[in-house]
Amino acid sequence: MLIAVIHSHPEALLQAVAVATVGNTLGGMTSYLLGRMIPNRADSRAIIWLHRYGYWALLFSWVPLFGDALCVGAGWLRFNPYLSLLLFAAGKLFRYLLVAGGWAWIEAAWWPYFFE
C-alpha cells in the first residue's frame, strides 16, 4: 500500500511514511495492550528474546508475525508503555524509510528501462 501511494504521489513521500509509521505503531500498541491482559503463564520464543535483549528487542517490532509477538510480549512483561511506544515507532519508521527509499531507487534506476 505504501509503495502504491508513493508511486501515485511521489511528492507526498514523507507524509505517506509518517501515516504508515503512526498506523503501524498504533497497531503495535494495540498488541501491547492485549499482552497486558494475558496472565503471566507463557514461554514463547518472543518472550525469551525480550528477556534476553530487553527493550532493544522492540526495535524489531516491524518484522512480520514475530514483531506482533514482541509487542504482545512487551505488554505481557509489563514493559514501560512510553518507552515501548518510542521503540515501536523507531523500528517501524526505519522499516518504512527503507521501503520508501528502496522504491525511490527502483523507480529512478530501473523503472524507465522496463515500463517507459
Side-chain angles (χ1 to χ4, degrees):
M1 183 68 134
L2 178 62
I3 290 175
V5 170
I6 292 170
H7 181 69
S8 299
H9 306 284
E11 72 283 354
L13 181 121
L14 292 178
Q15 292 91 338
V17 168
V19 168
T21 300
V22 169
N24 204 335
T25 301
L26 290 174
M29 286 307 291
T30 301
S31 297
Y32 174 92
L33 291 173
L34 290 172
R36 300 270 316 210
M37 297 179 196
I38 299 172
N40 284 344
R41 292 187 48 198
D43 199 29
S44 72
R45 190 180 310 176
I47 298 297
I48 293 168
W49 238 66
L50 286 171
H51 274 298
R52 182 178 301 153
Y53 299 108
Y55 283 100
W56 298 112
L58 298 180
L59 290 172
F60 293 96
S61 65
W62 61 269
V63 176
L65 298 178
F66 183 70
D68 294 331
L70 286 175
C71 295
V72 171
W76 182 74
L77 291 171
R78 308 302 193 258
F79 278 12
N80 179 313
Y82 301 109
L83 187 54
S84 297
L85 174 68
L86 179 69
L87 292 169
F88 291 162
K92 292 167 190 291
L93 175 63
F94 178 72
R95 169 194 182 180
Y96 289 124
L97 287 174
L98 282 178
V99 169
W103 179 253
W105 176 77
I106 287 171
E107 205 167 38
W110 298 99
W111 198 263
Y113 295 111
F114 295 105
F115 298 105
E116 290 182 3

